[in-house]
């Protein structure tokens, strides 16, 4: 089974918490699991180094504590699209650097989970799309659908783009990010019939976000047993 890349229908749909939940669930099964957030915008200076809060959570959850820059090689201060932030800060994002950090995290780990930035089609840098990184690292994609008004359109367009890339599509899941979204079950039922990849479960609305609770709601066995979906030629 491929290691995983976590993408979303948009920013703010819970990719980091899904990443932490997956890490915790597999670690509770006795596996050594590391995580990575290759590119992050919206970072703060700490001890002379830009650090992203999501990347720090992933770093702290790793089975073998890595250096921060292994987990997040490119951190940008501005909370904007990373390719614009990189251009503004005159930083060149390189796939070779990202691959080297990933390989260091994968060495000795049973699984590595890589969290993307924003949605699937957000560029990582000028000339580098998210799918370029996923292909370089040989990852399978997991799509997080933030359940709210408008999510059907976002989910179907994102799934279509993932399938068009011909990358392994390991599955998708729903995440209840809006307490009052009344049509969760109808939305999930429709998407199950339209997205040709395993449904990995639905994260309910949680008053207190906890990695253990999120991990428990995920259909991990479907990730382990299902063959990643690919688009038919």
């Amino acid at each position: 089974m491929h290691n995983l890349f976590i993408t979303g229908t948009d920013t703010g749909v819970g990719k980091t918490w899904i990443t932490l939940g997956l890490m915790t669930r597999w670690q509770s099964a006795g596996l050594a699991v590391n995580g990575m957030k290759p590119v992050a915008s919206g970072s703060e200076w700490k001890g002379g180094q830009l650090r992203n809060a999501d990347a720090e959570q992933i770093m702290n959850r790793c089975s073998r504590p890595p250096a921060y820059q292994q987990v997040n090689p490119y951190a940008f201060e501005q909370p904007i699209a990373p390719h614009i932030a990189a251009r503004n800060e005159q930083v060149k994002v390189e796939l070779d650097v990202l691959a080297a950090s990933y390989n260091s995290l994968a060495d000795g780990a049973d699984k590595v989970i890589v969290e993307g930035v924003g949605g699937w089609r957000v560029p990582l840098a000028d000339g580098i799309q998210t799918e370029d990184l996923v292909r370089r690292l040989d990852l399978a994609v997991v799509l997080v659908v933030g359940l709210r008004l408008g999510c059907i359109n976002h989910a179907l367009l994102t799934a279509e783009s993932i399938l068009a890339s011909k990358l392994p599509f390991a599955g998708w899941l729903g995440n209840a990010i809006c307490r009052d979204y009344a049509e969760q079950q109808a939305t999930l039922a429709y998407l199950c019939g339209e997205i040709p990849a395993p449904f990995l479960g639905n994260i309910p609305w949680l008053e207190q976000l906890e990695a253990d609770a999120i991990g428990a709601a995920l259909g991990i066995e479907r990730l382990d047993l299902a063959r990643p979906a690919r688009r038919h030629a």
Side-chain angles (χ1 to χ4, degrees), residues 10-29:
D10 200 349
T11 190
V13 297
K15 295 187 304 296
T16 300
W17 281 103
I18 299 302
T19 299
L20 297 172
L22 283 167
M23 293 175 72
T24 300
R25 178 77 175 271
W26 272 318
Q27 286 166 343
S28 68

Side-chain angles (χ1 to χ4, degrees), residues 3 32-38 59 62-73 95-114 136-137 139:
N3 285 325
V33 185
N34 288 332
M36 184 181 185
K37 189 173 179 71
M59 177 186 69
C62 288
S63 294
R64 296 180 176 86
Y68 177 81
Q69 282 204 295
Q70 288 177 279
V71 174
N72 179 211
L95 285 177
D96 286 346
V97 172
L98 298 175
S101 292
Y102 171 82
N103 289 335
S104 70
L105 292 168
D107 186 26
D110 296 305
K111 292 186 180 291
V112 181
I113 303 172
V114 180
R136 175 66 179 270
L137 302 184
L139 304 175

Side-chain angles (χ1 to χ4, degrees), residues 18-200:
I18 299 302
T19 299
L20 297 172
L22 283 167
M23 293 175 72
T24 300
R25 178 77 175 271
W26 272 318
Q27 286 166 343
S28 68
L31 301 180
V33 185
N34 288 332
M36 184 181 185
K37 189 173 179 71
V39 179
S41 54
S43 306
E44 297 181 357
W45 288 100
K46 295 182 180 180
Q49 181 185 43
L50 275 172
R51 290 193 171 209
N52 174 267
D54 292 343
E56 285 189 313
Q57 289 190 81
I58 293 171
M59 177 186 69
N60 292 333
R61 186 70 59 171
C62 288
S63 294
R64 296 180 176 86
Y68 177 81
Q69 282 204 295
Q70 288 177 279
V71 174
N72 179 211
Y74 293 100
F76 299 110
E77 187 169 8
Q78 294 176 289
I80 57 178
H83 70 294
I84 300 175
R87 192 186 308 153
N88 290 348
E89 297 181 28
Q90 298 183 330
V91 173
K92 183 180 180 181
V93 175
E94 299 183 17
L95 285 177
D96 286 346
V97 172
L98 298 175
S101 292
Y102 171 82
N103 289 335
S104 70
L105 292 168
D107 186 26
D110 296 305
K111 292 186 180 291
V112 181
I113 303 172
V114 180
E115 182 198 344
V117 58
W120 175 249
R121 289 306 304 271
V122 173
L124 299 181
D126 291 332
I128 302 177
Q129 296 293 323
T130 295
E131 71 175 77
D132 297 327
L133 176 64
V134 177
R135 185 170 285 107
R136 175 66 179 270
L137 302 184
D138 191 26
L139 304 175
V141 182
V142 170
L143 172 62
V144 179
V145 177
L147 295 173
R148 59 187 173 199
L149 187 64
C151 69
I152 291 176
N153 178 67
H154 295 329
L156 295 180
L157 287 174
T158 304
E160 182 180 286
S161 184
I162 294 168
L163 290 164
S165 73
K166 298 186 179 180
L167 291 163
F169 191 0
W172 67 279
L173 58 97
N175 188 24
I177 58 175
C178 291
R179 182 205 300 265
D180 300 323
Y181 182 54
E183 300 300 335
Q184 278 194 42
Q185 294 308 313
T187 296
L188 290 170
Y190 181 78
L191 292 176
C192 280
E194 295 294 322
I195 298 177
F199 175 55
L200 305 175

